[in-house]
Amino acid sequence: METLFQNVHYAVRSLRKRPGFSLIIVLTLALGIGANTAMFSVVNAVLLSPLPYGDPNKLVVVWAKNE
């Protein structure tokens, strides 16, 4: 446990020395987490969740063509 605290203390000191690098790290993590959340939301809504109809196997599409 002592080693963990030493490593965290060293990491915080290193990040304080270079605030620009720290900002880039935080922005990269935020962008990655946000993109991952957005992609999962789309996949969940389109592919994983069931259709909101009683019997989705009986759904059909009717096309009309005006000529």
Side-chain angles (χ1 to χ4, degrees), residues 10-32:
Y10 177 73
V12 169
R13 278 189 306 160
S14 296
L15 291 175
R16 278 191 177 168
K17 282 184 189 178
R18 300 172 67 184
F21 182 67
S22 302
L23 181 66
I24 290 172
I25 290 173
V26 170
L27 290 176
T28 303
L29 283 171
L31 184 64

mmCIF file of all heavy atoms in Angstrom, residues 10-32:
data_model
loop_
_atom_site.group_PDB
_atom_site.id
_atom_site.type_symbol
_atom_site.label_atom_id
_atom_site.label_comp_id
_atom_site.label_asym_id
_atom_site.label_seq_id
_atom_site.Cartn_x
_atom_site.Cartn_y
_atom_site.Cartn_z
ATOM 1 N N TYR A 10 4.086 10.638 -6.854
ATOM 2 C CA TYR A 10 5.005 10.932 -7.952
ATOM 3 C C TYR A 10 4.249 11.345 -9.212
ATOM 4 O O TYR A 10 4.638 12.282 -9.914
ATOM 5 C CB TYR A 10 5.884 9.716 -8.231
ATOM 6 C CG TYR A 10 6.810 9.902 -9.401
ATOM 7 C CD1 TYR A 10 7.926 10.737 -9.296
ATOM 8 C CD2 TYR A 10 6.573 9.266 -10.613
ATOM 9 C CE1 TYR A 10 8.777 10.926 -10.369
ATOM 10 C CE2 TYR A 10 7.413 9.445 -11.689
ATOM 11 C CZ TYR A 10 8.514 10.279 -11.559
ATOM 12 O OH TYR A 10 9.346 10.470 -12.628
ATOM 13 N N ALA A 11 3.133 10.654 -9.502
ATOM 14 C CA ALA A 11 2.332 10.985 -10.684
ATOM 15 C C ALA A 11 1.748 12.387 -10.567
ATOM 16 O O ALA A 11 1.760 13.164 -11.533
ATOM 17 C CB ALA A 11 1.218 9.959 -10.870
ATOM 18 N N VAL A 12 1.252 12.740 -9.404
ATOM 19 C CA VAL A 12 0.668 14.073 -9.207
ATOM 20 C C VAL A 12 1.748 15.148 -9.340
ATOM 21 O O VAL A 12 1.528 16.180 -9.982
ATOM 22 C CB VAL A 12 -0.045 14.160 -7.836
ATOM 23 C CG1 VAL A 12 -0.427 15.592 -7.506
ATOM 24 C CG2 VAL A 12 -1.270 13.267 -7.822
ATOM 25 N N ARG A 13 2.914 14.904 -8.788
ATOM 26 C CA ARG A 13 4.007 15.873 -8.930
ATOM 27 C C ARG A 13 4.414 16.044 -10.385
ATOM 28 O O ARG A 13 4.655 17.156 -10.853
ATOM 29 C CB ARG A 13 5.227 15.440 -8.117
ATOM 30 C CG ARG A 13 5.152 15.802 -6.662
ATOM 31 C CD ARG A 13 6.466 15.540 -5.985
ATOM 32 N NE ARG A 13 6.847 14.134 -6.251
ATOM 33 C CZ ARG A 13 8.077 13.668 -6.138
ATOM 34 N NH1 ARG A 13 9.061 14.453 -5.784
ATOM 35 N NH2 ARG A 13 8.330 12.399 -6.372
ATOM 36 N N SER A 14 4.485 14.938 -11.115
ATOM 37 C CA SER A 14 4.873 15.006 -12.521
ATOM 38 C C SER A 14 3.831 15.761 -13.349
ATOM 39 O O SER A 14 4.178 16.527 -14.248
ATOM 40 C CB SER A 14 5.037 13.598 -13.089
ATOM 41 O OG SER A 14 6.084 12.931 -12.431
ATOM 42 N N LEU A 15 2.573 15.540 -13.055
ATOM 43 C CA LEU A 15 1.512 16.222 -13.801
ATOM 44 C C LEU A 15 1.442 17.710 -13.453
ATOM 45 O O LEU A 15 1.063 18.530 -14.281
ATOM 46 C CB LEU A 15 0.167 15.540 -13.559
ATOM 47 C CG LEU A 15 0.034 14.139 -14.169
ATOM 48 C CD1 LEU A 15 -1.298 13.523 -13.764
ATOM 49 C CD2 LEU A 15 0.177 14.166 -15.665
ATOM 50 N N ARG A 16 1.792 18.068 -12.225
ATOM 51 C CA ARG A 16 1.806 19.488 -11.848
ATOM 52 C C ARG A 16 2.933 20.242 -12.530
ATOM 53 O O ARG A 16 2.829 21.430 -12.786
ATOM 54 C CB ARG A 16 1.939 19.635 -10.338
ATOM 55 C CG ARG A 16 0.651 19.484 -9.607
ATOM 56 C CD ARG A 16 0.843 19.899 -8.173
ATOM 57 N NE ARG A 16 -0.427 19.828 -7.459
ATOM 58 C CZ ARG A 16 -0.531 19.901 -6.164
ATOM 59 N NH1 ARG A 16 0.559 20.016 -5.424
ATOM 60 N NH2 ARG A 16 -1.699 19.844 -5.599
ATOM 61 N N LYS A 17 4.025 19.550 -12.818
ATOM 62 C CA LYS A 17 5.154 20.199 -13.481
ATOM 63 C C LYS A 17 4.799 20.587 -14.913
ATOM 64 O O LYS A 17 5.309 21.574 -15.424
ATOM 65 C CB LYS A 17 6.362 19.258 -13.524
ATOM 66 C CG LYS A 17 7.122 19.148 -12.255
ATOM 67 C CD LYS A 17 8.343 18.261 -12.484
ATOM 68 C CE LYS A 17 9.036 17.933 -11.204
ATOM 69 N NZ LYS A 17 10.181 17.031 -11.435
ATOM 70 N N ARG A 18 3.954 19.789 -15.553
ATOM 71 C CA ARG A 18 3.613 20.010 -16.965
ATOM 72 C C ARG A 18 2.091 20.109 -17.116
ATOM 73 O O ARG A 18 1.424 19.148 -17.487
ATOM 74 C CB ARG A 18 4.156 18.856 -17.793
ATOM 75 C CG ARG A 18 5.674 18.752 -17.670
ATOM 76 C CD ARG A 18 6.215 17.529 -18.305
ATOM 77 N NE ARG A 18 6.046 17.592 -19.758
ATOM 78 C CZ ARG A 18 6.372 16.603 -20.563
ATOM 79 N NH1 ARG A 18 6.863 15.493 -20.081
ATOM 80 N NH2 ARG A 18 6.202 16.723 -21.857
ATOM 81 N N PRO A 19 1.499 21.289 -16.819
ATOM 82 C CA PRO A 19 0.038 21.422 -16.866
ATOM 83 C C PRO A 19 -0.537 21.285 -18.276
ATOM 84 O O PRO A 19 -1.664 20.812 -18.439
ATOM 85 C CB PRO A 19 -0.233 22.814 -16.294
ATOM 86 C CG PRO A 19 1.052 23.536 -16.393
ATOM 87 C CD PRO A 19 2.143 22.512 -16.366
ATOM 88 N N GLY A 20 0.222 21.662 -19.310
ATOM 89 C CA GLY A 20 -0.272 21.506 -20.677
ATOM 90 C C GLY A 20 -0.445 20.044 -21.037
ATOM 91 O O GLY A 20 -1.448 19.635 -21.641
ATOM 92 N N PHE A 21 0.523 19.233 -20.673
ATOM 93 C CA PHE A 21 0.449 17.789 -20.911
ATOM 94 C C PHE A 21 -0.715 17.182 -20.137
ATOM 95 O O PHE A 21 -1.447 16.326 -20.648
ATOM 96 C CB PHE A 21 1.774 17.151 -20.512
ATOM 97 C CG PHE A 21 1.838 15.681 -20.763
ATOM 98 C CD1 PHE A 21 1.826 15.179 -22.053
ATOM 99 C CD2 PHE A 21 1.930 14.789 -19.703
ATOM 100 C CE1 PHE A 21 1.897 13.817 -22.286
ATOM 101 C CE2 PHE A 21 2.002 13.439 -19.931
ATOM 102 C CZ PHE A 21 1.985 12.948 -21.220
ATOM 103 N N SER A 22 -0.910 17.653 -18.904
ATOM 104 C CA SER A 22 -2.029 17.164 -18.085
ATOM 105 C C SER A 22 -3.368 17.502 -18.732
ATOM 106 O O SER A 22 -4.287 16.674 -18.741
ATOM 107 C CB SER A 22 -1.973 17.772 -16.686
ATOM 108 O OG SER A 22 -0.755 17.472 -16.063
ATOM 109 N N LEU A 23 -3.470 18.694 -19.280
ATOM 110 C CA LEU A 23 -4.707 19.098 -19.934
ATOM 111 C C LEU A 23 -4.985 18.232 -21.160
ATOM 112 O O LEU A 23 -6.121 17.809 -21.387
ATOM 113 C CB LEU A 23 -4.630 20.576 -20.336
ATOM 114 C CG LEU A 23 -5.864 21.148 -21.022
ATOM 115 C CD1 LEU A 23 -7.043 21.157 -20.057
ATOM 116 C CD2 LEU A 23 -5.577 22.535 -21.527
ATOM 117 N N ILE A 24 -3.951 17.938 -21.923
ATOM 118 C CA ILE A 24 -4.120 17.073 -23.098
ATOM 119 C C ILE A 24 -4.560 15.675 -22.675
ATOM 120 O O ILE A 24 -5.424 15.070 -23.314
ATOM 121 C CB ILE A 24 -2.811 17.029 -23.913
ATOM 122 C CG1 ILE A 24 -2.578 18.377 -24.588
ATOM 123 C CG2 ILE A 24 -2.851 15.920 -24.956
ATOM 124 C CD1 ILE A 24 -1.240 18.506 -25.251
ATOM 125 N N ILE A 25 -3.997 15.158 -21.601
ATOM 126 C CA ILE A 25 -4.390 13.838 -21.098
ATOM 127 C C ILE A 25 -5.855 13.831 -20.704
ATOM 128 O O ILE A 25 -6.619 12.928 -21.076
ATOM 129 C CB ILE A 25 -3.505 13.421 -19.910
ATOM 130 C CG1 ILE A 25 -2.098 13.124 -20.383
ATOM 131 C CG2 ILE A 25 -4.084 12.218 -19.192
ATOM 132 C CD1 ILE A 25 -1.121 12.874 -19.264
ATOM 133 N N VAL A 26 -6.290 14.843 -19.951
ATOM 134 C CA VAL A 26 -7.682 14.904 -19.493
ATOM 135 C C VAL A 26 -8.631 15.054 -20.679
ATOM 136 O O VAL A 26 -9.674 14.385 -20.741
ATOM 137 C CB VAL A 26 -7.857 16.060 -18.478
ATOM 138 C CG1 VAL A 26 -9.325 16.306 -18.186
ATOM 139 C CG2 VAL A 26 -7.101 15.749 -17.200
ATOM 140 N N LEU A 27 -8.296 15.897 -21.642
ATOM 141 C CA LEU A 27 -9.155 16.065 -22.811
ATOM 142 C C LEU A 27 -9.230 14.793 -23.654
ATOM 143 O O LEU A 27 -10.307 14.440 -24.152
ATOM 144 C CB LEU A 27 -8.661 17.234 -23.662
ATOM 145 C CG LEU A 27 -8.856 18.616 -23.066
ATOM 146 C CD1 LEU A 27 -8.240 19.675 -23.973
ATOM 147 C CD2 LEU A 27 -10.320 18.900 -22.829
ATOM 148 N N THR A 28 -8.124 14.090 -23.796
ATOM 149 C CA THR A 28 -8.116 12.838 -24.552
ATOM 150 C C THR A 28 -8.991 11.797 -23.869
ATOM 151 O O THR A 28 -9.779 11.096 -24.529
ATOM 152 C CB THR A 28 -6.679 12.314 -24.703
ATOM 153 O OG1 THR A 28 -5.895 13.312 -25.341
ATOM 154 C CG2 THR A 28 -6.647 11.042 -25.507
ATOM 155 N N LEU A 29 -8.869 11.680 -22.563
ATOM 156 C CA LEU A 29 -9.719 10.736 -21.832
ATOM 157 C C LEU A 29 -11.195 11.108 -21.940
ATOM 158 O O LEU A 29 -12.050 10.243 -22.150
ATOM 159 C CB LEU A 29 -9.303 10.678 -20.361
ATOM 160 C CG LEU A 29 -8.055 9.869 -20.059
ATOM 161 C CD1 LEU A 29 -7.639 10.068 -18.616
ATOM 162 C CD2 LEU A 29 -8.305 8.403 -20.342
ATOM 163 N N ALA A 30 -11.508 12.392 -21.819
ATOM 164 C CA ALA A 30 -12.903 12.828 -21.912
ATOM 165 C C ALA A 30 -13.472 12.550 -23.300
ATOM 166 O O ALA A 30 -14.609 12.073 -23.430
ATOM 167 C CB ALA A 30 -13.007 14.315 -21.580
ATOM 168 N N LEU A 31 -12.703 12.814 -24.320
ATOM 169 C CA LEU A 31 -13.150 12.541 -25.688
ATOM 170 C C LEU A 31 -13.357 11.044 -25.917
ATOM 171 O O LEU A 31 -14.354 10.630 -26.511
ATOM 172 C CB LEU A 31 -12.137 13.100 -26.682
ATOM 173 C CG LEU A 31 -12.506 12.993 -28.152
ATOM 174 C CD1 LEU A 31 -13.748 13.827 -28.434
ATOM 175 C CD2 LEU A 31 -11.356 13.454 -29.014
ATOM 176 N N GLY A 32 -12.437 10.231 -25.453
ATOM 177 C CA GLY A 32 -12.569 8.782 -25.613
ATOM 178 C C GLY A 32 -13.763 8.217 -24.871
ATOM 179 O O GLY A 32 -14.507 7.390 -25.408
#
